[in-house]
Amino acid sequence: MQPKVKPSVIIYADTDNCNIHFCYEPKDHKNSYNHEVERCSAEPFSDDFFEKFASVVNLYKKSHPKVAFDKTALVLPNSVICTDIVSIPTVRRVLVNSSLALAINSIYSNSTELKFSSYLLAQNNQTMTFGLVGVRADLLNRMKKVLGENQINLICVTYAANCNINWLLDVNNKLRTSSFLYMGIRQNRTDFVFTVKGQTSTFYSIDIGYEILTESKFLRESDVLDHYASRRLIYSALENTRRYNVNAIAELEEPQKKKVQELSYEDIMRKMAKLNRNIACENFKIFKKWALSVIASNYDITQFGEIDTVYVNIPEIFDFVFEKINEGNEEGDIKFENILAMDPKKSISAPYSETYGGIQVKQFNRNNNWERLEEIC
């Protein structure tokens, strides 16, 4: 591995929301990062996208002449990432890479088009089991080329789910060897990320968020998501986790969000001012049900690290739900923990954990990164 180098700039290509996030450390304010967002409306990773992305990067770099882009980390969206679990016979360390490559080639007919990183999940005298993270090599190369043409030195590439976990591990360093489920609840989206012994693993998302907690009525899951599609996602995850990442399954059996009026940030804030705590706690059970279903349906992951806690990233205004949601828990029940209760100062970076988690890209989960960028061609 390369020596640990703290990135000077993080660039997150948030194609789901047509945004490019920039986060950098000012030279005169060490350990303090500025975060800015630029629009980039285009079909994700199309020719149009790369053209607009290049323009956004170029204009941003010109408008920030004092920012050093010599150590830049790039964060990709989860939608372009695949995950897998692969076992090989236990071999000597010098033979691991070649044996793992043979296993990957036997599984993926297009393995030469993909760039994989791997991490060890379990080992005994007979087998070694690895988690895999893959991305298309041509996508990596094109992103690297755009940044290189703008004199931006790329030291690392990672992805959003990994940064979510990096951000959490920065909040609580004691979790770096733990197994748990991360649940990041945004306004109209919720991300689930499995972590096994501190390593980022499988992930996916559903298109409901904390906006349902601001409703003035009790909601059922069928009020906000198509129930049949939701169940199919869980069953598909159970059947196919080994070969496909859950995020890819979601593209095939994605739970359909009911057609409801999209609320602006200002509308959400007005509704929060009138928040009914009892209704919010009851509606939070939809998230709890999803989290427990996801855990129960992914034994291929949890067999390597039992999960007893779900760590929740949600705006601090909803901190009251945790006492209610854990009420009546018995020994052995899965707990739901509020991440911001561990460190309230993280409330500024919490909504942008996919970006701020890039700061720790060389500190945690390095086997989920692509660092040997000179090999990409």
Side-chain angles (χ1 to χ4, degrees):
M1 281 189 178
Q2 298 173 354
K4 293 181 181 180
V5 178
K6 192 175 183 180
S8 57
V9 178
I10 297 92
I11 300 176
Y12 170 35
D14 179 13
T15 54
D16 292 333
N17 297 296
C18 299
N19 290 327
I20 306 298
H21 295 251
F22 295 88
C23 188
Y24 66 92
E25 183 181 41
K27 291 182 178 180
D28 53 347
H29 290 86
K30 293 296 182 182
N31 299 316
S32 175
Y33 281 75
N34 290 346
H35 173 237
E36 299 172 2
V37 183
E38 302 290 340
R39 294 292 291 170
C40 186
S41 299
E43 181 183 344
F45 303 104
S46 61
D47 289 341
D48 185 38
F49 167 82
F50 284 108
E51 183 177 333
K52 290 181 177 179
F53 176 63
S55 177
V56 167
V57 169
N58 181 267
L59 290 174
Y60 187 86
K61 191 168 184 289
K62 286 181 178 178
S63 65
H64 295 73
K66 294 184 179 180
V67 175
F69 287 84
D70 57 327
K71 299 186 292 290
T72 299
L74 174 66
V75 182
L76 297 174
N78 294 333
S79 57
V80 299
I81 303 299
C82 68
T83 64
D84 203 347
I85 297 173
V86 174
S87 293
I88 62 173
T90 298
V91 295
R92 288 180 296 154
R93 179 175 295 183
V94 294
L95 300 176
V96 167
N97 288 341
S98 58
S99 298
L100 189 57
L102 286 173
I104 292 172
N105 291 339
S106 68
I107 295 172
Y108 293 91
S109 59
N110 64 336
S111 61
T112 57
E113 300 172 4
L114 301 171
K115 186 71 174 177
F116 284 100
S117 289
S118 62
Y119 54 93
L120 185 65
L121 281 171
Q123 179 178 1
N124 56 37
N125 291 334
Q126 284 76 42
T127 60
M128 305 174 74
T129 303
F130 291 87
L132 298 180
V133 186
V135 66
R136 291 188 64 89
D138 60 346
L139 187 150
L140 275 179
N141 187 53
R142 200 157 180 187
M143 294 294 281
K144 177 185 174 185
K145 181 180 179 182
V146 168
L147 296 177
E149 289 173 346
N150 284 278
Q151 290 76 52
I152 293 176
N153 182 45
L154 193 59
I155 62 169
C156 180
V157 179
T158 189
Y159 58 102
N162 195 44
C163 286
N164 283 327
I165 302 306
N166 289 348
W167 175 82
L168 172 55
L169 297 182
D170 186 54
V171 173
N172 187 348
N173 197 275
K174 294 179 181 179
L175 297 176
R176 64 185 307 166
T177 58
S178 300
S179 298
F180 54 85
L181 182 70
Y182 167 92
M183 182 165 68
I185 305 177
R186 307 299 194 214
Q187 179 179 330
N188 49 26
R189 173 190 175 100
T190 299
D191 295 311
F192 299 90
V193 186
F194 280 93
T195 305
V196 179
K197 300 174 184 175
Q199 294 281 355
T200 304
S201 188
T202 301
F203 56 84
Y204 72 97
S205 64
I206 55 175
D207 287 332
I208 57 172
Y210 62 71
E211 65 182 12
I212 71 169
L213 304 182
T214 68
E215 293 294 328
S216 58
K217 63 179 181 180
F218 296 106
L219 298 175
R220 298 168 299 178
E221 182 180 344
S222 58
D223 292 327
V224 291
L225 284 175
D226 180 89
H227 184 73
Y228 173 77
S230 302
R231 294 303 95 202
R232 283 298 304 155
L233 174 61
I234 294 298
Y235 299 146
S236 297
L238 177 63
E239 296 165 3
N240 300 304
T241 297
R242 184 191 178 281
R243 183 59 51 84
Y244 304 98
N245 74 312
V246 183
N247 191 63
I249 297 169
E251 294 175 3
L252 301 175
E253 298 287 356
E254 185 175 358
Q256 299 298 310
K257 186 177 182 181
K258 294 289 186 178
K259 290 185 178 180
V260 295
Q261 182 181 1
E262 290 290 335
L263 298 176
S264 67
Y265 178 79
E266 290 74 18
D267 290 333
I268 289 289
M269 291 299 104
R270 280 193 289 270
K271 295 185 74 171
M272 283 183 176
K274 302 177 182 178
L275 201 60
N276 185 311
R277 292 193 170 201
N278 290 331
I279 293 177
C281 288
E282 191 65 26
N283 289 344
F284 190 86
K285 290 181 180 179
I286 294 175
F287 296 116
K288 180 176 182 178
K289 176 183 177 181
W290 265 94
L292 296 179
S293 296
V294 166
I295 293 170
S297 302
N298 281 277
Y299 176 73
D300 277 7
I301 300 296
T302 60
Q303 66 176 313
F304 299 108
E306 184 178 357
I307 291 176
D308 60 11
T309 306
V310 178
Y311 291 99
V312 185
N313 181 1
I314 191 171
E316 53 193 337
I317 193 172
F318 298 110
D319 60 1
F320 58 85
V321 303
F322 291 93
E323 181 178 356
K324 187 71 175 179
I325 211 68
N326 289 312
E327 194 175 71
N329 270 13
E330 299 179 359
E331 185 176 353
D333 287 349
I334 292 175
K335 305 184 296 294
F336 287 74
E337 297 285 346
N338 181 11
I339 296 174
L340 290 182
M342 304 176 191
D343 186 354
K345 294 180 181 179
K346 294 293 185 179
S347 61
I348 296 175
S349 61
Y352 310 105
S353 55
E354 296 89 350
T355 304
Y356 280 90
I359 298 171
Q360 291 82 32
V361 76
K362 292 283 191 173
Q363 183 177 354
F364 306 120
N365 276 306
R366 294 189 66 186
N367 289 327
N368 279 271
N369 303 332
W370 292 270
E371 298 185 6
R372 300 179 66 86
L373 301 174
E374 69 279 359
E375 296 180 359
I376 302 170
C377 59

